[in-house]
Amino acid sequence: MSEEQIKNLEAQFEERIARDEKIEPKDWMPEKYRQTHIRQMSQHAHSEIVGMLPEGNWITRAPSLRRKVALLAKVQDEAGHGLYLYSATETLGVSRDELYEQLHSGKAKYSSIFNYPTVTWADMGAIGWLVDGAAIINQVPLCSTSFGPYARAMVRVCKEESFHQRQGYEIMIKLANGTPEQKAMAQDALNRWWWPSLMMLGPTDAESIHTEQSMKWKLKRKSNDELRQQFIDQTVPQADLIGLTIPDPDLKWNEERQSYDFGDINWDEFWQVVKGHGPCNKERMKARVGAWERGEWVRDAAMAYAEKQQERREKQAV
Amino acid sequence: MATKNWPLWEVFVRSKNGLEHRHFGSLHAADAEMALENARDVYTRRNEGVSIWVVESKHITASNPEHNGELFEPAQDKVYRHPTFYDLPDEVKHM
Amino acid sequence: MKENLYKYILGIADNSLILGQRMGALTGHGPSLETDIACTNISLDLFGQVRSYYQYAAKIAGDGRTEDDIAMLRKEREYVNVLLVEQPDTDFAYTMARQFLFDVYHFMFLTELQKSKDLTLAAIATKSIKEVSYHKRFSSDWIKRLGDGTELSNQKMQNAIDNLWTYTDELFHQTEADKAMVKDGIGVDVTKLKEGYYKQVIEVLEEATLNIPESKYFQKGGKEGIHTEHMGYLLSDLQYMQRAYPNMEW
């Protein structure tokens, strides 16, 4: 194809998206669109499955049977969501194994927040409430993103995730209304998870490299800073309601903006974790790679068995 | 032995009797039996289905979007296939 | 309080609790996302059953204890699950073999329990048996896949079956409470399940091209609260919160 033809196709392509038409996997698309989607969707999928680990850490120790089944179901959903997202990514011609390979080699990123440790039960509450809360803010706009398989996966994810945040907030309510020791546990978890949750919404607009293109392709509807503000405005009253204090001395209602002003985020910490030097980066990768390697003989056996069965059927047919 | 990856399967679920099977998504499985089991666990955890079909993705033949013009556009002007094409006297209320 | 009935319920529930705890621990660490989701489902089914049983046991006990008190605040010697279900997840072959060896029993047991004169137990059995029927299918399929898969998987599955075989006989032992409940038409006479159990198990193992273990030496003790050394660690996790923060609500 000549350069001009490609330009032409690209222009038509952008027009389709502007008209809110969906792009489907077999449609012509600019290479950059394909690559950007593979990157973002697989990163999203990786975040789901790495995100299983910090919460999975408390499944055996959940304090009651009710909490245990809720947590199990939530972590299971994350596996499901990872699966939906990997499948959607695969429609772009990359296999799940390749995507795993990118994750395991450190080439692909996942949400940095999962590199923090879950040290008390209250962290299950804080993650559901804050991390899922921030994730929902990120994800809801993706239900109408331009790439069909991604949008469809996100519709399913958002529908299923509606219980996740409630699950977490309910844990926090119970702790906040519990004994002084429980309340302290909840406050401690909020203290530790608040800032990483704010960072989770991405670098400030000034530092964000992909935003403009992503807006055009509807991979993003609002800027990181807008999303962050939305998250803060919605979460502060929820903390007030259960008597917990947001760990930010500069947090103050701004009557004029009808929004909260908030303190400086420690972006050095953010970049340190992104670059692989967070408290649990190594553990998380070790767990994922370990599960994959320990499972290899199992996956091989299943394939070998399937092939034998196939041969047997064919022999019978003859 | 060289590792062979589990192939991809497409999953179709009938949400309740009376409705058609609808494409729900895909998953990996070594064989059809496993694909059915996985589909049940992955796509009907919330009581979403009463029947599941699975088919290995490679067995699906898809139309090429580049041929969309010749495949689908000719149907656009065949208005006589729709009831609104035909004139009826106002007195006839239902037909 | 109906002492025997209470003990009898624990005898059933503890099996599901401990196996559910084992399966739940694997979430996020399985050989593929799909198997992960499936194993979590099994764990969730088991915990669902456990809650029904313990809620009923709490009612029978009538001393103010809740399902969680019963599940998480007994001493190791007071848990009466069979030794089979507490065995560790040495590898995926062990996980599936343990599941399979229990599922075949569990399905037969619930089939009979549906006929119990105790309507609550009969109702729980009727609800659970559909779940367990699926577990049995799932684990049997994996026995075949791994047994008849590659040479390596065959070795591993054979190894798991050989090592877990010693815990199968205990499934058919009766405690005093069991005997009393059988007499009252409430309990299941597990001694009568034994023959059918081995027949079914052997059928699957043969299809999976696995050897049937010949050992005649069996372990027992779980039903009397004498467990393997793995149990204490499992309970430390299970009970951690309830022990570290007593008398609180979660």
Side-chain angles (χ1 to χ4, degrees):
Chain A
M1 234 181 288
S2 73
E3 222 168 278
E4 196 173 337
Q5 276 172 314
I6 291 179
K7 270 226 171 84
N8 210 350
L9 279 171
E10 272 177 11
Q12 284 174 13
F13 180 84
E14 299 296 346
E15 276 167 28
R16 286 182 64 193
I17 292 181
R19 280 198 303 270
D20 259 339
E21 267 184 50
K22 295 285 181 218
I23 306 303
E24 294 296 344
K26 284 176 156 275
D27 292 351
W28 183 89
M29 62 184 75
E31 193 48 29
K32 195 169 168 219
Y33 183 88
R34 181 186 302 275
Q35 291 310 330
T36 303
H37 276 77
I38 290 176
R39 186 170 44 83
Q40 173 160 341
M41 289 159 70
S42 62
Q43 190 170 318
H44 198 158
H46 298 327
S47 299
E48 294 282 356
I49 61 157
V50 176
M52 294 169 73
L53 298 169
E55 287 174 291
N57 186 33
W58 279 87
I59 286 174
T60 59
R61 294 179 292 167
S64 71
L65 293 173
R66 182 175 181 271
R67 293 290 174 215
K68 196 189 282 282
V69 291
L71 185 62
L72 266 168
K74 179 177 187 253
V75 179
Q76 183 192 41
D77 270 353
E78 282 154 13
H81 299 167
L83 194 155
Y84 305 154
L85 288 161
Y86 282 126
S87 300
T89 316
E90 283 180 90
T91 63
L92 289 171
V94 51
S95 73
R96 195 196 292 177
D97 296 68
E98 290 172 72
L99 298 172
Y100 273 168
E101 176 50 40
Q102 292 173 2
L103 173 68
H104 296 163
S105 69
K107 193 180 152 219
K109 297 272 177 255
Y110 56 88
S111 186
S112 277
I113 193 131
F114 301 119
N115 291 317
Y116 290 87
T118 51
V119 295
T120 72
W121 169 250
D123 291 13
M124 297 304 100
I127 289 183
W129 174 33
L130 303 174
V131 177
D132 286 85
I136 290 166
I137 284 184
N138 253 332
Q139 288 173 353
V140 167
L142 288 172
C143 295
S144 55
T145 191
S146 65
F147 186 52
Y150 196 19
R152 290 192 288 275
M154 289 317 299
V155 167
R156 186 175 288 274
V157 168
C158 288
K159 205 159 79 185
E160 295 188 348
E161 270 194 1
S162 52
F163 94 81
H164 292 184
Q165 197 187 10
R166 284 186 189 204
Q167 181 258 169
Y169 192 54
E170 196 194 76
I171 290 173
M172 292 307 257
I173 295 175
K174 202 78 182 174
L175 293 173
N177 294 327
T179 63
E181 200 179 2
Q182 282 175 306
K183 187 164 183 181
M185 192 194 282
Q187 182 63 54
D188 167 63
L190 173 57
N191 293 349
R192 284 181 289 107
W193 290 94
W194 174 254
W195 292 104
S197 300
L198 296 191
M199 295 176 200
M200 193 183 153
L201 293 153
T204 53
D205 296 349
E207 301 232 6
S208 183
I209 31 176
H210 306 297
T211 299
E212 202 190 330
Q213 182 73 82
S214 298
M215 292 269 188
K216 231 168 54 188
W217 289 340
K218 297 175 185 170
L219 276 168
K220 234 172 173 6
R221 288 288 162 99
K222 289 179 184 171
S223 74
N224 294 349
D225 287 338
E226 285 172 314
L227 293 173
R228 195 165 7 252
Q229 186 70 58
Q230 183 187 338
F231 174 73
I232 292 169
D233 290 347
Q234 118 187 358
T235 311
V236 174
Q238 292 166 356
D240 289 345
L241 190 71
I242 56 176
L244 295 180
T245 311
I246 302 283
D248 178 359
D250 297 323
L251 189 81
K252 207 169 71 231
W253 178 250
N254 183 324
E255 191 58 41
E256 198 181 320
R257 287 200 308 123
Q258 287 292 304
S259 255
Y260 283 93
D261 293 335
F262 55 96
D264 291 334
I265 293 172
N266 181 353
W267 290 110
D268 291 342
E269 176 184 320
F270 175 76
W271 291 114
Q272 180 182 332
V273 182
V274 169
K275 284 175 184 151
H277 307 290
C280 296
N281 294 58
K282 289 197 173 64
E283 282 87 342
R284 300 295 182 239
M285 267 317 96
K286 207 175 130 206
R288 283 314 315 161
V289 174
W292 186 244
E293 286 176 352
R294 277 194 309 278
E296 188 176 359
W297 69 271
V298 177
R299 296 189 302 275
D300 286 349
M303 272 319 285
Y305 176 77
E307 281 162 13
K308 282 188 207 174
Q309 290 292 92
Q310 179 72 25
E311 278 168 29
R312 280 171 203 152
R313 268 196 299 273
E314 279 163 11
K315 262 193 201 140
Q316 267 177 1
V318 174
Chain B
M1 163 183 163
T3 302
K4 264 195 207 156
N5 301 323
W6 290 358
L8 194 66
W9 298 72
E10 301 301 323
V11 178
F12 299 82
V13 176
R14 185 201 295 288
S15 342
K16 60 178 186 191
N17 275 354
L19 296 180
E20 66 277 65
H21 284 77
R22 198 165 63 79
H23 184 233
F24 259 46
S26 43
L27 48 74
H28 289 271
D31 54 49
E33 193 55 36
M34 194 200 283
L36 266 183
E37 287 171 6
N38 290 346
R40 177 259 194 192
D41 288 325
V42 171
Y43 289 104
T44 64
R45 300 200 293 291
R46 286 178 169 79
N47 205 14
E48 293 98 330
V50 296
S51 163
I52 302 175
W53 290 344
V54 290
V55 57
E56 213 180 316
S57 310
K58 70 174 185 201
H59 294 312
I60 290 183
T61 309
S63 63
N64 185 340
E66 278 171 30
H67 302 152
N68 274 10
E70 57 190 89
L71 285 176
F72 307 116
E73 275 170 30
Q76 280 172 7
D77 65 352
K78 308 296 190 287
V79 285
Y80 44 79
R81 289 203 173 97
H82 300 277
T84 45
F85 177 73
Y86 301 94
D87 294 327
L88 278 188
D90 289 346
E91 289 76 13
V92 181
K93 295 252 185 299
H94 305 286
M95 182 174 281
Chain C
M1 155 177 155
K2 301 174 192 164
E3 186 72 29
N4 280 330
L5 179 58
Y6 174 76
K7 281 189 183 161
Y8 189 69
I9 300 169
L10 294 193
I12 309 171
D14 285 357
N15 286 338
S16 293
L17 173 75
I18 303 303
L19 189 56
Q21 176 80 357
R22 280 281 187 233
M23 272 307 227
L26 295 177
T27 306
H29 305 280
S32 80
L33 268 182
E34 285 84 354
T35 36
D36 239 41
I37 293 171
C39 290
T40 312
N41 258 1
I42 292 177
S43 177
L44 279 168
D45 286 344
L46 291 170
F47 280 119
Q49 297 163 15
V50 161
R51 296 191 65 194
S52 308
Y53 288 127
Y54 287 147
Q55 282 163 11
Y56 185 38
K59 215 170 94 186
I60 302 283
D63 54 7
R65 281 185 301 161
T66 64
E67 51 168 312
D68 292 321
D69 295 338
I70 297 176
M72 299 178 178
L73 285 174
R74 280 177 287 152
K75 302 286 192 295
E76 179 173 334
R77 287 284 275 106
E78 293 163 338
Y79 284 84
V80 289
N81 56 280
V82 292
L83 301 176
L84 174 66
V85 294
E86 71 201 42
Q87 297 312 305
D89 295 280
T90 309
D91 60 26
F92 193 68
Y94 271 80
T95 303
M96 284 300 114
R98 181 185 63 205
Q99 190 66 38
F100 167 69
L101 292 173
F102 183 71
D103 288 343
V104 174
Y105 160 82
H106 200 192
F107 183 79
M108 296 175 84
F109 177 83
L110 291 175
T111 306
E112 293 305 310
L113 190 65
Q114 293 185 93
K115 302 172 201 155
S116 171
K117 278 191 189 159
D118 184 301
L119 297 181
T120 309
L121 285 183
I124 300 175
T126 301
K127 185 179 171 288
S128 310
I129 198 160
K130 295 185 191 115
E131 298 168 343
V132 172
S133 168
Y134 183 79
H135 301 174
K136 192 175 84 165
R137 186 144 71 96
F138 180 82
S139 60
S140 304
D141 283 350
W142 273 104
I143 298 295
K144 293 178 209 162
R145 282 190 194 105
L146 299 182
D148 193 15
T150 61
E151 205 174 310
L152 177 64
S153 74
N154 176 275
Q155 273 169 22
K156 285 184 183 270
M157 186 44 93
Q158 188 68 56
N159 187 36
I161 292 285
D162 288 349
N163 284 308
L164 293 174
W165 196 254
T166 187
Y167 301 110
T168 51
D169 189 63
E170 192 195 5
L171 293 164
F172 311 101
H173 290 203
Q174 282 185 318
T175 63
E176 290 309 312
D178 292 348
K179 286 178 193 163
M181 285 296 99
V182 173
K183 219 171 103 201
D184 290 352
I186 291 173
V188 175
D189 185 350
V190 288
T191 59
K192 290 187 178 151
L193 305 180
K194 189 168 170 176
E195 206 188 310
Y197 172 83
Y198 283 108
K199 195 169 160 265
Q200 272 194 50
V201 166
I202 287 171
E203 229 168 76
V204 174
L205 295 185
E206 282 176 346
E207 202 187 326
T209 69
L210 293 161
N211 301 319
I212 314 304
E214 281 168 11
S215 170
K216 298 281 183 289
Y217 299 102
F218 294 103
Q219 303 301 319
K220 60 173 199 260
K223 287 188 177 183
E224 305 293 343
I226 304 167
H227 293 277
T228 55
E229 290 180 350
H230 308 295
M231 184 70 171
Y233 296 95
L234 185 151
L235 291 180
S236 326
D237 275 359
L238 180 70
Q239 302 191 340
Y240 169 65
M241 289 298 291
Q242 292 278 346
R243 295 285 180 203
Y245 304 92
N247 303 315
M248 297 182 200
E249 285 191 28
W250 304 95

